[in-house]
Amino acid sequence: MPKEKITVLRSRYIPLPVENVDTDQIIPARFLKATTREGFGDNLFRDWRYDARGKPIPGFILNQDRYEGKILAAGKNFGSGSSREHAAWALYDFGFRVVISSFFADIFKNNALNNGLLPVQVSDGFLALLFKRAEENPEILLEVNLPEQSVSILPDGPEESFGINSYKKECLIKGYDDIDYLLNLKDQIEAFEEQHKG
Amino acid sequence: MQKKTLFDKIWDAHVVTRVKNGPDVLYIDRHLIHEVTSPQAFSGLERRGIPVFRPEKTVATADHNVPTVNQHLPIREEMSRLQVNKLTENCLHHGITLYGLNHPSQGIVHVIGPELGITQPGMTIVCGDSHTSTHGAFGTVAFGIGTSEVEMVLATQCVMQPKPKKMRISVEGSLREGVTAKDIILYIITGISASGGTGYFIEYAGSAIEELSMEGRMTLCNMSIEMGARGGLIAPDDTTFDYIKGREFAPKEADFEKAVDRWRQLKTDPGAVFDEELVVKAEDIEPMLTYGTNPGMGIPVNGTIPDDPSAGFRKSLDYMGFQPGEKLEGKPVDYVFLGSCTNGRIEDLRAFSAMVKGKKKAGNITAWIVPGSKQVEKQAIEEGLDKILEESGFELRQPGCSACLAMNEDKIPAGKYSISTSNRNFEGRQGPGARTLLASPLTAAAAAITGKISDPRKLLKN
């Protein structure tokens, strides 16, 4: 699936200071019935965003006009639970390109990376600062620099670096995906099958 | 020679190549698919104009989105029907074996893999479902993947994964009466938290694990993901081989004996090093119950809810309608759900039936008893469990994931309490506003007949 390439992103960010946000909150199971990848953004955080009658819940951060941006900053252990890639699709479809947290669940992290959504893991302290700054000033800007592997609060910091394996980094910068890579390994895979009878 | 863990042995034997500063390219022996996380993978293949590389290594079933009554009728809900039909279409088109609705082998993907003998020691197994860890009970490296990865496996029979770290959790001693595999895993998750296993693959070992049946081992490995671990596995032994023998896709006769000789090598070398080790005393474990909105929030069924001043903890208790310091035993509940890939196997139905036998379902309880597969359903009927259940006021439904994730019509209403044998107590997991308390089939049965949260040990004595 061709996605926007990621290099340097400057954007405002939306703070969601909730820990253990599981993929059932990101996109509840009853919205997983579609057979395409598009449109899941409408139901992103559905049961936090809308009441039972479909009316927006004013207290929820995505319903507050003062916050916007392509970056979501969320509490520790983001994306736990179900392997549903729909969670990454919903975040992307809504407009997010980066999710910042101090800890990500494994499967979610892979799913995000496979969908042009960059998971940026920062320290608990830096995350707490992001929440504080956004509360003081919703218009504050962040810069996420993938080539440099850094995230900084504009205009004058602080800045923190983040980790990503160099293969995935290159995929995101160039807009490649794993399938392109694997398809080029066909001969090697067939040779492996010859000596592996599973 | 370097001493290796069981996980290392299986993983390393499946590495096609290692990407420099990147993930391993891991060969997948068996791929399981279902209707919810596969359609976008098939359309991805179509967009690229490529076929399924090894259709014989993928097996499909319809489970997440199917009704658990009147399965002979067309699915009423249009979106669900379309999704299930799409799976049938895709399987036909690509030559993939499908155990669809009304097939005698249909069922929850993690129930049918083992019961058909598809799951065998030493394999790598993936599925677009996080509870794929279930298959680790057979000494496999099995884990859940996203839809892009489903597409990768369909296209190349490989996934790209960084190799996880290794943790061993040993449960030593013997379980006390009324304590089950479900209680072991809830106890462990409560101990290390819902994210304590993230980045790890877990090997379960110790005498209490060796004493478990295959059903119990599956329950245990199933919930590895609930502590964040990618998967869990158990070294195969005679219990494993006896379970596999004679199943549809198991090796036969001389081939089986040869396979068993090979499978016996699948264990951690003495002295192999884990990144993390944990030892649990089986005697310390009591029947467990969760009180919050992640599976790490557990207490013994007769215990009290702890206190924690964090905002997340308070939010969770508010959602559940509980207070810190509160005792849950004796509180009325509304729903009981027996089923899911965690506890929807024959042994679970037997345990539940044995406890309710000769007693009556409490008037305030709505109970959904959902077998994990058509074969489990058939066996339950052959054993007369359906009659026992009926006489006690319960009804056996038809197989599927059902109220575990409430994608079909089996939804717990907002605000209602559900004692559930499934694996997740997240907000809204069993329906918007539903309040889930995870427990074992015995604790669920105890609640079903008393109408309230009850210690199953007290009923076992009667």
Side-chain angles (χ1 to χ4, degrees):
Chain A
M1 183 95 193
K3 293 282 169 189
E4 286 172 22
K5 296 170 189 173
I6 302 179
T7 47
V8 179
L9 177 70
R10 275 178 179 224
S11 167
R12 289 168 58 182
Y13 62 100
I14 300 181
L16 183 67
V18 180
E19 293 186 1
N20 300 310
V21 175
D22 58 75
T23 53
D24 273 83
Q25 306 317 313
I26 300 172
I27 181 95
R30 62 188 190 280
F31 300 109
L32 306 185
K33 298 185 184 194
T35 53
T36 61
R37 291 177 185 235
E38 292 76 30
F40 290 102
D42 292 345
N43 294 310
L44 176 68
F45 294 117
R46 175 75 198 200
D47 294 333
W48 289 351
R49 213 166 129 201
Y50 300 103
D51 67 16
R53 285 164 303 172
K55 233 179 87 206
I57 298 168
F60 187 60
I61 201 85
L62 294 189
N63 294 328
Q64 296 178 12
D65 289 343
R66 53 198 186 108
Y67 289 106
E68 60 170 46
K70 294 183 168 182
I71 301 171
L72 178 71
K76 196 174 184 163
N77 195 28
F78 186 82
S80 57
S82 157
S83 63
R84 59 188 70 162
E85 194 163 311
H86 311 67
W89 299 337
L91 288 160
Y92 189 93
D93 192 61
F94 186 85
F96 291 118
R97 296 296 175 266
V98 171
V99 184
I100 300 176
S101 181
S102 56
F103 198 80
F104 289 97
D106 275 338
I107 304 180
F108 174 80
K109 194 195 272 181
N110 271 355
N111 287 342
L113 288 167
N114 284 333
N115 285 281
L117 180 69
L118 177 65
V120 172
Q121 189 164 326
V122 297
S123 66
D124 286 320
F126 190 82
L127 187 66
L129 184 68
L130 287 182
F131 293 148
K132 186 165 168 274
R133 290 284 182 90
E135 198 173 323
E136 290 160 3
N137 175 14
E139 291 182 15
I140 194 161
L141 283 173
L142 277 187
E143 182 178 286
V144 176
N145 186 319
L146 179 58
E148 298 289 325
Q149 296 181 213
S150 68
V151 51
S152 45
I153 300 175
L154 297 180
D156 35 358
E159 178 178 302
E160 197 166 280
S161 61
F162 63 87
I164 181 169
N165 74 55
S166 51
Y167 163 80
K168 274 293 172 195
K169 180 173 164 180
E170 198 173 317
C171 284
L172 287 171
I173 292 172
K174 296 188 174 160
Y176 291 166
D177 68 20
D178 286 358
I179 298 186
D180 300 328
Y181 187 92
L182 287 171
L183 287 171
N184 282 322
L185 290 183
K186 265 293 171 60
D187 292 348
Q188 243 180 297
I189 295 169
E190 282 175 3
F192 176 87
E193 284 181 321
E194 276 303 304
Q195 50 88 21
H196 172 84
K197 300 287 174 212
Chain B
M1 221 178 89
Q2 202 202 342
K3 296 180 172 69
K4 283 183 147 191
T5 68
L6 169 60
F7 171 74
D8 286 324
K9 288 181 185 179
I10 302 173
W11 182 282
D12 295 349
H14 289 82
V15 174
V16 175
T17 184
R18 299 203 137 111
V19 182
K20 201 173 163 233
N21 295 321
D24 287 350
V25 175
L26 195 71
Y27 190 80
I28 299 305
D29 294 319
R30 291 293 179 275
H31 182 209
L32 307 169
I33 59 170
H34 60 86
E35 74 277 22
V36 178
T37 58
S38 68
Q40 294 88 348
F42 283 109
S43 31
L45 292 186
E46 274 152 37
R47 203 169 39 242
R48 289 171 203 261
I50 50 177
V52 174
F53 180 53
R54 297 286 181 245
E56 71 282 5
K57 289 182 188 281
T58 293
V59 170
T61 191
D63 57 1
H64 278 63
N65 208 350
V66 301
T68 55
V69 288
N70 294 324
Q71 287 187 347
H72 61 289
L73 299 175
I75 299 176
R76 284 200 305 195
E77 218 258 328
E78 193 193 354
M79 293 285 277
S80 300
R81 190 173 65 246
L82 288 176
Q83 202 173 44
V84 171
N85 290 348
K86 193 79 196 164
L87 179 71
T88 309
E89 241 173 66
N90 283 329
C91 288
L92 270 175
H93 180 71
H94 291 280
I96 291 168
T97 303
L98 167 68
Y99 300 109
L101 218 46
N102 298 313
H103 189 285
S105 298
Q106 178 267 344
I108 304 175
V109 64
H110 310 309
V111 176
I112 70 165
E115 84 188 354
L116 292 171
I118 293 168
T119 304
Q120 295 170 19
M123 284 180 169
T124 48
I125 301 178
V126 294
C127 172
D129 185 284
S130 60
H131 293 110
T132 308
S133 57
T134 312
H135 306 265
F138 292 79
T140 70
V141 166
F143 54 90
I145 55 177
T147 298
S148 295
E149 292 164 317
V150 171
E151 189 180 336
M152 283 173 217
V153 181
L154 291 173
T156 68
Q157 206 57 36
C158 290
V159 288
M160 301 187 70
Q161 293 286 321
K163 189 176 178 182
K165 291 184 285 185
K166 292 150 293 185
M167 186 190 301
R168 178 163 58 191
I169 300 180
S170 305
V171 187
E172 301 292 356
S174 287
L175 293 177
R176 296 197 290 185
E177 201 193 4
V179 179
T180 68
K182 181 63 164 287
D183 302 302
I184 303 179
I185 192 66
L186 288 174
Y187 180 86
I188 292 172
I189 302 168
T190 296
I192 78 168
S193 91
S195 59
T198 306
Y200 291 94
F201 221 93
I202 296 171
E203 180 176 343
Y204 300 98
S207 52
I209 305 298
E210 287 161 21
E211 285 169 17
L212 290 177
S213 65
M214 286 318 294
E215 283 85 353
R217 294 179 191 187
M218 285 189 258
T219 300
L220 189 77
C221 290
N222 172 275
M223 288 190 68
S224 303
I225 182 72
E226 307 313 333
M227 51 186 135
R230 205 58 194 278
L233 78 174
I234 296 170
D237 58 12
D238 287 331
T239 305
T240 323
F241 312 143
D242 291 347
Y243 179 98
I244 297 171
K245 194 174 184 177
R247 292 189 183 264
E248 190 173 343
F249 293 100
K252 301 280 156 21
E253 294 163 11
D255 286 343
F256 181 77
E257 298 310 321
K258 263 196 276 179
V260 168
D261 287 343
R262 207 171 62 242
W263 294 340
R264 283 193 197 283
Q265 313 305 312
L266 293 169
K267 52 185 159 203
T268 292
D269 296 329
V273 177
F274 289 82
D275 299 287
E276 197 76 55
E277 288 250 26
L278 200 70
V279 181
V280 170
K281 275 196 247 160
E283 291 79 10
D284 291 348
I285 306 174
E286 297 189 71
M288 295 289 289
L289 186 70
T290 65
Y291 59 86
T293 56
N294 74 59
M297 300 173 80
I299 50 172
V301 66
N302 53 9
T304 52
I305 297 176
D307 198 4
D308 175 340
S310 75
F313 185 85
R314 292 302 163 117
K315 180 175 181 287
S316 182
L317 286 200
D318 279 352
Y319 180 86
M320 293 300 293
F322 294 147
Q323 300 291 329
E326 197 176 356
K327 204 169 153 69
L328 293 181
E329 193 180 0
K331 274 183 94 74
V333 291
D334 311 290
Y335 282 76
V336 168
F337 172 55
L338 177 77
S340 86
C341 58
T342 312
N343 283 123
R345 298 184 182 79
I346 190 68
E347 193 175 88
D348 304 311
L349 287 174
R350 283 184 196 139
F352 188 96
S353 305
M355 183 165 271
V356 303
K357 189 175 181 179
K359 302 189 178 76
K360 289 286 177 206
K361 180 178 78 66
N364 60 318
I365 296 289
T366 303
W368 290 331
I369 315 294
V370 183
S373 70
K374 292 299 275 186
Q375 290 202 17
V376 169
E377 180 189 27
K378 183 166 170 263
Q379 194 175 347
I381 292 169
E382 281 167 5
E383 293 183 12
L385 302 183
D386 59 326
K387 292 282 176 304
I388 296 173
L389 290 168
E390 217 170 279
E391 279 161 22
S392 300
F394 298 92
E395 162 205 16
L396 196 60
R397 294 169 81 94
Q398 292 175 302
C401 297
S402 181
C404 173
L405 82 167
M407 239 189 121
N408 70 353
E409 292 150 327
D410 307 341
K411 291 179 173 59
I412 311 291
K416 298 291 184 193
Y417 289 100
S418 156
I419 297 256
S420 179
T421 65
S422 55
N423 41 58
R424 289 189 175 132
N425 51 357
F426 298 153
E427 278 183 35
R429 171 80 178 182
Q430 296 197 286
R435 293 160 159 172
T436 303
L437 299 96
L438 301 175
S440 76
L442 288 180
T443 306
I449 48 186
T450 59
K452 51 196 183 194
I453 296 168
S454 301
D455 188 334
R457 291 171 296 194
K458 292 181 183 164
L459 283 105
L460 285 171
K461 285 187 192 121
N462 292 341

